[in-house]
Amino acid sequence: MLHVNENYAKIKPTYLFAEIAHRVAAHKEANPEAKIIRLGIGDVTEPICPAIVAAMHRAVDDEAGRENFHGYGPEQGYAFLREKIAAVDFRSRGMDIEADEILVSDGAKCDCGNIQELFGPDVKIAVGDPVYPVYVDTNIMAGRTDIRLLPCTAENGYVPAPPADCDADIVYLCYPNNPTGAVATLAQLQAWVDWANARKALILFDAAYEAFIRTPGIPHSIYECMGARTCAIEFRSYSKTAGFTGIRCGYTVVPKEVCAYDAAGNAVPLRPMWTRRQTTKFNGASYITQRGAEAIYSPEGQAQTRATVDFYLENGRLMKAALQALGYEVTGGGDSPYLWVNVKGDSWAFFDKLLKEANVVTTPGAGFGRAGEGYIRISSFNSRANVLEAVERLKKIL
Ligand code: MLT
């Protein structure tokens, strides 16, 4: 008899954003005329910038001729992209990361979800609460249910300090944070790096929203901390940086020093293991995609992608100001595309109210964990016209 992976019975049957999509589809079916504004899942709306489009067109032309045709690429990513990443995202900011420590992929979600395959079934995990559900669900799917929750609250600015008795082997940190939009200071991240080095633990640092940081001094990478090379893996994504949610590309940094330990206590470097995993199960992001990603690092690409991120940040500023004027406590925005709104009540009920009465989609905080109850997350990804319209509708019903 075929035995199912019973761990799937321990997670919700539907992924958070799929559940929201079902509810929105049902609402649309019942109200076909409704003009729905989607501020739920963080999905970009603005077109890919011209420098990237031009690079992708050139790459398509490469594939059209024998001379520059590309079949399978290197599974770790093309050197032309990995070298740009190391130079621009890290070395230009004073971080010592080499191109061969970067593995290009089809996005941070897959890498965040797949990385747990490298660790034993019994490792103890710590995550923030609320948290991006991928970290938790992928560990439970693999049978790891021993998960410590680190409360992220208004009191600690949504940045937990390592608890003195924290016995986790792995901690997931995401800053700028999804879902709360909070940012961590260098000192706060350094405390986690020191904790991890002291107990031979690992930090899985999700920096998917790094491009939104505007406040000087806020760290863009875990590798700005002293000693992070020995205890941290970092995930980056072009989804929000450059509008690649549909194109799919990101990367993971695994420094040569980062290790886990075998039963005899011997250090086992994780970079060769992740390379082994990726080369076995993944054939790389497409050549056309990686040429597009490379163009993000050109002077035009940097200016154009920054302008789009600024546009979303302005959306957030407008919505935050309106909600605060209505009397709501709002965290986030400023250095993040997400607003975390204290609705002082049931978050799914508030979600339903906004959907039914304003045709505005948000994300209920409870979907990110127990400590998310009482909040909703609003995404800044939309056109200006829709954001202004959403603000008007919220003013009417709240
Ligand atoms: C989100 O809305 O939290 C993200 O867009 C989801 C994702 O990146 O998977």
Side-chain angles (χ1 to χ4, degrees):
M1 195 168 64
L2 176 64
H3 190 188
V4 73
N5 178 351
E6 292 186 24
N7 295 316
Y8 276 64
K10 299 173 191 156
I11 53 176
K12 294 205 185 77
T14 322
Y15 182 58
L16 172 62
F17 294 106
E19 163 70 20
I20 291 171
H22 292 161
R23 291 196 188 208
V24 174
H27 176 71
K28 181 76 184 161
E29 203 178 313
N31 305 277
E33 302 304 312
K35 288 207 166 49
I36 294 178
I37 299 178
R38 292 167 200 274
L39 305 172
I41 190 167
D43 195 5
V44 293
T45 55
E46 301 311 293
I48 301 298
C49 73
I52 298 172
V53 172
M56 293 181 84
H57 279 158
R58 287 194 296 275
V60 170
D61 289 341
D62 284 348
E63 297 296 69
R66 218 164 260 291
E67 207 172 312
N68 292 321
F69 177 78
H70 291 75
Y72 288 127
E75 292 92 339
Q76 302 94 321
Y78 284 98
F80 62 74
L81 177 56
R82 298 166 84 198
E83 278 158 16
K84 291 269 167 34
I85 293 169
V88 180
D89 284 346
F90 297 98
R91 285 205 297 275
S92 77
R93 290 181 173 272
M95 288 171 273
D96 173 26
I97 296 291
E98 300 294 328
D100 65 358
E101 295 173 314
I102 290 157
L103 286 95
V104 176
S105 72
D106 57 353
K109 179 179 184 175
C110 323
D111 288 1
C112 287
N114 292 329
I115 196 84
Q116 49 74 30
E117 288 182 22
L118 307 191
F119 311 114
D122 52 346
V123 299
K124 299 187 226 37
I125 307 288
V127 296
D129 179 18
V131 68
Y132 181 43
V134 171
Y135 316 145
V136 175
D137 288 359
T138 54
N139 275 291
I140 296 177
M141 285 171 179
R144 292 185 205 96
T145 48
D146 195 6
I147 297 177
R148 283 121 188 84
L149 299 178
L150 306 163
C152 301
T153 59
E155 286 68 42
N156 63 17
Y158 305 98
V159 186
D165 59 348
C166 186
D167 63 348
D169 304 300
I170 294 177
V171 63
Y172 288 78
L173 298 176
C174 171
Y175 289 99
N177 184 249
N178 182 10
T180 64
V183 288
T185 64
L186 192 60
Q188 287 170 319
L189 294 185
Q190 186 66 55
W192 277 107
V193 167
D194 295 344
W195 168 86
N197 278 326
R199 56 172 287 113
K200 293 189 173 165
L202 177 69
I203 297 171
L204 295 174
F205 190 75
D206 185 349
Y209 300 95
E210 167 276 335
F212 289 76
I213 296 173
R214 290 291 176 270
T215 302
I218 294 296
H220 288 243
S221 165
I222 193 74
Y223 302 115
E224 290 184 40
C225 298
M226 297 275 294
R229 281 187 60 88
T230 49
C231 67
I233 288 176
E234 180 164 306
F235 306 100
R236 292 274 188 111
S237 165
Y238 297 118
S239 287
K240 325 286 155 107
T241 309
F244 274 35
T245 53
I247 291 174
R248 308 300 314 148
C249 195
Y251 64 87
T252 290
V253 185
V254 190
K256 297 183 184 80
E257 293 90 324
V258 176
C259 292
Y261 298 86
D262 67 14
N266 301 309
V268 181
L270 291 175
R271 190 181 66 119
M273 282 183 74
W274 182 241
T275 305
R276 182 72 169 87
R277 192 261 172 220
Q278 291 298 77
T279 51
T280 306
K281 297 196 178 185
F282 180 59
N283 262 334
S286 76
Y287 170 71
I288 298 163
T289 296
Q290 291 190 61
R291 280 293 186 201
E294 181 193 22
I296 296 168
Y297 297 98
S298 66
E300 304 75 31
Q302 292 277 284
Q304 292 165 3
T305 51
R306 188 177 171 92
T308 306
V309 168
D310 280 341
F311 171 84
Y312 291 129
L313 285 168
E314 176 63 8
N315 282 348
R317 195 192 63 75
L318 291 167
M319 291 190 288
K320 185 170 180 172
L323 286 159
Q324 286 175 327
L326 288 166
Y328 289 89
E329 264 168 49
V330 187
T331 307
D335 295 303
S336 155
Y338 297 129
L339 305 181
W340 188 241
V341 187
N342 186 344
V343 298
K344 298 194 168 81
D346 184 277
S347 64
W348 275 106
F350 202 86
F351 164 89
D352 281 332
K353 176 181 168 69
L354 297 190
L355 180 60
K356 295 199 174 114
E357 295 175 24
N359 293 308
V360 170
V361 183
T362 57
T363 307
F368 297 102
R370 199 171 297 167
E373 185 50 282
Y375 292 82
I376 57 160
R377 192 193 76 175
I378 298 185
S379 147
S380 303
F381 296 110
N382 219 309
S383 65
R384 185 60 45 79
N386 276 351
V387 162
L388 294 174
E389 170 67 22
V391 163
E392 288 313 309
R393 292 187 199 172
L394 294 185
K395 278 188 193 159
K396 263 194 206 122
I397 66 153
L398 298 176

